Amino acid sequence: AQTVTQSQPEMSVQEAETVTLSCTYDTSENNYYLFWYKQPPSRQMILVIRQEAYKQQNATENRFSVNFQKAAKSFSLKISDSQLGDTAMYFCAFVSYDMRFGAGTRLTVKP
Amino acid sequence: DARVTQTPRHKVTEMGQEVTMRCQPILGHNTVFWYRQTMMQGLELLAYFRNRAPLDDSGMPKDRFSAEMPDATLATLKIQPSEPRDSAVYFCASGLVSGAEAFFGQGTRLTVV
């Protein structure tokens, strides 16, 4: 089974600064998707950004962008101009025939 | 606004009682996942369905948990009998077989006392 590793249990960043969350995965498949989800205190899981493995171009959604390194099996999330509302748990997910999650990174944005 | 709907949002029950959680996936989505979230174990995949057929339920304790999808608009997760260690938030998510998107419901917070 595919495994997803998020090695940073907790991170903090000052408001307006940039932060990068790390994610690595292990798979033998060639076609898959990678997602980042945000879970604020409301517990709702919100899809932040997704990346198709067959695309070399890194996905971008407003202040959120990814650095997808397929050979290294790495999928990091960069949040630019951090806002207080970005405070949440962030989960990396690997999607092929099922969807597996990392353990999450708790991000705190400080004023 | 398409969304995944889970009921109930909260459930408190006594040990030994049966618990049923329901999920209405987004119309047109053909894949449904059930997850359990705890502080210790994170998001565990319990089971998932594709085109209403169960594909994998290896993450579920077989003796007490069961998952079904009686029609395309309803997925259920049942625990019988419930135990205090089942206390967690249970999420349902629906998506497309291509993997292009997957959206979560708001979860059911289960407390077994």
Side-chain angles (χ1 to χ4, degrees):
Chain A
Q2 287 80 6
T3 58
V4 182
T5 302
Q6 293 181 249
S7 58
Q8 305 151 315
E10 294 188 21
M11 294 191 72
S12 63
V13 64
Q14 291 296 132
E15 195 174 8
E17 297 293 309
T18 295
V19 64
T20 298
L21 309 183
S22 301
C23 173
T24 58
Y25 57 93
D26 185 27
T27 185
S28 58
E29 299 188 25
N30 194 47
N31 296 317
Y32 49 87
Y33 287 81
L34 294 161
F35 296 160
W36 278 99
Y37 282 91
K38 167 185 177 180
Q39 187 180 42
S42 67
R43 87 171 182 237
Q44 176 68 49
M45 294 284 287
I46 301 166
L47 181 61
V48 174
I49 197 166
R50 65 183 180 219
Q51 174 79 41
E52 295 92 333
Y54 62 86
K55 288 187 176 179
Q56 291 187 333
Q57 185 174 5
N58 289 324
T60 299
E61 289 286 344
N62 301 313
R63 299 183 294 107
F64 299 87
S65 61
V66 299
N67 183 5
F68 174 48
Q69 301 290 327
K70 191 172 183 179
K73 297 179 183 176
S74 171
F75 181 60
S76 61
L77 174 69
K78 185 172 80 170
I79 306 174
S80 304
D81 185 24
S82 297
Q83 300 176 359
L84 296 179
D86 296 333
T87 292
M89 283 289 290
Y90 286 82
F91 293 95
C92 176
F94 177 96
V95 183
S96 58
Y97 55 88
D98 64 13
M99 183 163 60
R100 303 278 174 171
F101 286 86
T105 296
R106 183 177 302 279
L107 176 67
T108 301
V109 180
K110 298 179 178 179
Chain B
D1 185 24
R3 56 181 171 176
V4 177
T5 302
Q6 286 187 249
T7 56
R9 292 287 309 280
H10 304 274
K11 177 72 175 178
V12 180
T13 191
E14 292 185 347
M15 183 173 60
Q17 295 298 305
E18 179 178 296
V19 175
T20 299
M21 291 168 272
R22 294 176 173 80
C23 169
Q24 180 177 354
I26 292 174
L27 190 64
H29 281 185
N30 52 16
T31 303
V32 174
F33 302 94
W34 281 106
Y35 291 90
R36 176 170 62 184
Q37 186 177 30
T38 61
M39 289 294 293
M40 297 300 295
Q41 299 295 328
L43 278 159
E44 300 174 84
L45 178 62
L46 297 176
Y48 72 101
F49 296 78
R50 187 148 295 148
N51 298 319
R52 294 179 53 203
L55 290 191
D56 187 354
D57 62 1
S58 60
M60 282 198 317
K62 296 294 190 303
D63 56 338
R64 299 183 300 109
F65 284 60
S66 62
E68 295 180 347
M69 200 161 178
D71 62 61
T73 65
L74 178 65
T76 62
L77 179 66
K78 188 176 296 185
I79 308 174
Q80 169 62 24
S82 57
E83 298 181 0
R85 59 178 168 155
D86 301 329
S87 297
V89 178
Y90 291 81
F91 283 103
C92 169
S94 75
L96 298 172
V97 68
S98 65
E101 61 181 31
F103 295 100
F104 279 76
Q106 292 182 292
T108 294
R109 180 177 292 279
L110 174 65
T111 303
V112 183
V113 298

